[in-house]
Amino acid sequence: MPATMKSDPDLGPTAFILFGATGDLAKRLVLPAFYQLAQEGLLPKQWLLVGNGRGDVAHEDFRKHVRDVLSEFGPKPAKKEWKAFAERVFFAGGGFTSDSPGSLLDDLAKAREELGGDPQLVHYLAVPPVAFEELTKALGQHGLAANARVVYEKPFGTSPESFRRLDRVVHSVLDEQQVYRIDHFLGKEATQDLHTLRFANGLFDAMWNRQHVESVQIDVPEKLGITDRSVFYDATGAVLDMLVTHLFQVAAEVAMEPPASLGALDLQAAREKVIKSFRPIDPAEVVLGQFTGYRKVPGVAAKSGQNTFVAARLWIDNPRWRGVPFYLRTGKRLAETRQRVSLVLREPAGQLSGQGNVLSFSLAGDGEIDLSLVAKKPGPGFDLDHGAASLPLSGLRGADPLPPYVRLIHDALIGDRSLYTRPDGLAAAWKAVTPLLTNPPPVASYAPGSWGPAGARKLIAPGRWLLGQ
């Protein structure tokens, strides 16, 4: 490798096998993240990337595909850097099933010879969820599961029943410590600061409970529509795509009890334990919506009743949070694109009551922490106003922020599961959302560019959404 592409000295020889290597997810997220790891010097000294798919693609053609992907989505490779990267990239065609391994076994045999010894295998399943079971069985059938790490994209199951079935299949082939279920919201820099700010600062740790927090808002509106993945979205909707995955995981990050340590196992345990305290969602405390014009999007069923918006009130039945509503909201074709977690603090008693403070975390980009405070305006009178203090995380000295996929793929390479989900937490999440899935409220229409159905404002009354109001 050239001098600009250093290597992580602590990692041994590694073969990264990317299933679905020519698909949309690999193109937009996985391949750019893997290349950035190379640029950052976070790959092992000895590594190979082996793409897999049903087509019979020559190595050179796959390398050209990867370069085209990077030119479109970045980071755009320089000529010298690309040459060093490309010579480690291969493609194994013919698919991969229990009945037929295609050319993957032959290509991995060559990779083992080139890397020497017994390289660490990291399998990344960038494929639709329907393919997870067969690929998992095939890994076991063809001897590629032993001591390997397997990264599963979300959603890990598309219903409580499919989750349980997939979980049984996975654990028939792999030990739990080999399994990496990705939720990229956990890889965001500011998501990690949800527990860092609290546990490293006694001021915030002391107020992180029902005595001081009036409510919590987790708000992820999106201006984008679903044109690029309409078929997937029409089978999934906002509830399965966002609520039971990203928003539940972020709520757990906010609400978890102090872990025994900040090690992977203890962090996971604390996050998954609090999900078991999520009260099953009452459909009467949920607003579903569909933006006007959704059914005209190519790939969407003409009479689709799928939700593209969800706002829900979540209750956490434990001593710390009992009685504190967590308001979760997300949707497509809304007025803004934001990713924000806000703790609305209780009003103080006494003569200055009615003055609220808010601690917020922007999860977008490199992340930011914002604090809204009440202060006296300078002057002869006693006039109060709200002031805001912001801390962009990228401004911290020596900051080197990593995008979520870069961080999470690196964690899989080094064997750190702290930002990946566990089956007990996922089982509890499916349990909490089951009443909504079995008895959903009506889906209301809303105008593109708005903040969703009017019912979302009623849901949070007499309070208000901090975004868009």
Side-chain angles (χ1 to χ4, degrees):
M1 288 185 179
T4 55
M5 297 177 70
K6 302 175 184 177
S7 301
D8 191 321
D10 297 326
L11 299 179
T14 301
F16 187 84
I17 300 93
L18 178 57
F19 294 93
T22 58
D24 183 65
L25 179 65
K27 177 175 68 175
R28 292 184 297 106
L29 295 169
V30 183
L31 289 170
F34 195 85
Y35 186 74
Q36 186 170 343
L37 285 172
Q39 286 191 314
E40 296 279 349
L42 294 174
L43 291 180
K45 184 176 182 180
Q46 295 177 281
W47 63 267
L48 292 177
L49 168 61
V50 181
N52 176 261
R54 291 190 296 270
D56 187 13
V57 181
H59 300 317
E60 285 302 323
D61 290 337
F62 181 58
R63 290 165 185 162
K64 181 180 183 303
H65 168 77
V66 174
R67 186 164 192 174
D68 290 344
V69 164
L70 297 176
S71 296
E72 180 178 359
F73 294 98
K76 191 171 183 178
K79 185 175 182 180
K80 188 176 181 182
E81 289 179 343
W82 171 249
K83 185 176 184 299
F85 183 87
E87 64 187 14
R88 298 168 182 253
V89 174
F90 301 88
F91 190 85
F96 185 71
T97 66
S98 298
D99 296 330
S100 173
S103 65
L104 183 58
L105 295 182
D106 293 336
D107 283 288
L108 284 180
K110 296 175 185 176
R112 283 189 167 101
E113 291 179 9
E114 183 167 338
L115 292 173
D118 187 19
Q120 173 69 58
L121 300 183
V122 178
H123 304 292
Y124 196 110
L125 276 57
V127 296
V130 69
F132 289 170
E133 290 187 31
E134 176 55 30
L135 280 175
T136 302
K137 292 176 182 177
L139 290 174
Q141 177 70 26
H142 299 297
L144 298 182
N147 300 316
R149 298 171 188 151
V150 185
V151 182
Y152 291 87
E153 266 292 340
K154 80 161 188 74
F156 192 83
T158 54
S159 68
E161 297 75 23
S162 69
F163 161 74
R164 288 191 290 267
R165 184 174 64 250
L166 176 58
D167 194 50
R168 286 194 298 269
V169 170
V170 167
H171 286 114
S172 71
V173 176
L174 303 165
D175 294 332
E176 173 59 23
Q177 294 305 308
Q178 296 177 265
V179 182
Y180 293 72
R181 302 171 194 82
I182 200 168
D183 188 312
H184 76 270
F185 266 56
L186 293 179
K188 290 176 173 290
E189 294 285 359
T191 303
Q192 297 162 56
D193 260 293
L194 287 171
H195 63 253
T196 303
L197 180 82
R198 171 185 171 189
F199 299 135
N201 297 276
L203 168 66
F204 296 105
D205 189 41
M207 49 74 66
W208 214 272
N209 53 56
R210 61 193 298 269
Q211 283 75 36
H212 300 285
V213 178
E214 182 271 329
S215 62
V216 177
Q217 295 184 25
I218 301 175
D219 209 354
V220 187
E222 296 181 83
K223 294 178 70 173
L224 293 175
I226 49 88
T227 304
D228 59 340
R229 55 180 192 143
S230 57
V231 175
F232 165 81
Y233 199 89
D234 200 41
T236 307
V239 170
L240 296 183
D241 187 43
M242 292 290 294
L243 181 70
V244 75
T245 53
H246 301 322
L247 302 192
F248 272 15
Q249 292 297 327
V250 174
E253 190 76 13
V254 173
M256 68 181 179
E257 291 299 304
S261 76
L262 294 183
L265 292 178
D266 290 331
L267 266 177
Q268 275 191 321
R271 191 166 53 238
E272 310 308 337
K273 181 180 179 181
V274 77
I275 298 178
K276 297 176 183 178
S277 296
F278 286 10
R279 184 189 304 175
I281 288 181
D282 182 350
E285 297 185 301
V286 176
V287 176
L288 299 181
Q290 181 187 98
F291 66 78
T292 304
Y294 171 76
R295 296 174 183 174
K296 296 181 180 179
V297 176
V300 172
K303 296 183 179 180
S304 175
Q306 189 58 271
N307 57 81
T308 63
F309 172 97
V310 57
R313 185 189 293 127
L314 172 70
W315 301 98
I316 300 178
D317 289 331
N318 66 14
R320 182 180 296 274
W321 296 109
R322 188 169 286 110
V324 177
F326 280 60
Y327 293 102
L328 316 180
R329 182 177 68 166
T330 187
K332 298 292 187 181
R333 296 296 306 274
L334 296 178
E336 295 181 27
T337 295
R338 304 282 289 275
Q339 299 174 1
R340 200 156 193 86
V341 176
S342 300
L343 281 74
V344 180
L345 305 185
R346 294 192 182 279
E347 297 178 358
Q351 297 183 16
L352 296 182
S353 63
Q355 309 294 329
N357 305 133
V358 179
L359 175 63
S360 293
F361 299 77
S362 173
L363 307 186
D366 298 331
E368 182 173 294
I369 302 172
D370 299 304
L371 183 60
S372 173
L373 298 168
V374 175
K376 175 190 172 296
K377 289 183 180 179
F382 193 74
D383 299 320
L384 303 181
D385 199 358
H386 283 85
S390 297
L391 175 64
L393 299 179
S394 60
L396 296 178
R397 185 172 57 187
D400 185 18
L402 296 176
Y405 269 83
V406 178
R407 168 62 188 264
L408 291 171
I409 291 175
H410 181 255
D411 284 355
L413 293 173
I414 66 176
D416 184 346
R417 299 174 67 241
S418 59
L419 298 178
Y420 286 86
T421 61
R422 282 192 347 192
D424 51 344
L426 291 177
W430 282 114
K431 182 178 179 181
V433 82
T434 292
L436 176 59
L437 299 179
T438 56
N439 186 31
V443 177
S445 63
Y446 63 94
S450 71
W451 282 97
R457 293 191 294 275
K458 297 178 181 177
L459 177 71
I460 201 169
R464 64 180 181 86
W465 295 101
L466 298 176
L467 294 179
Q469 304 298 321

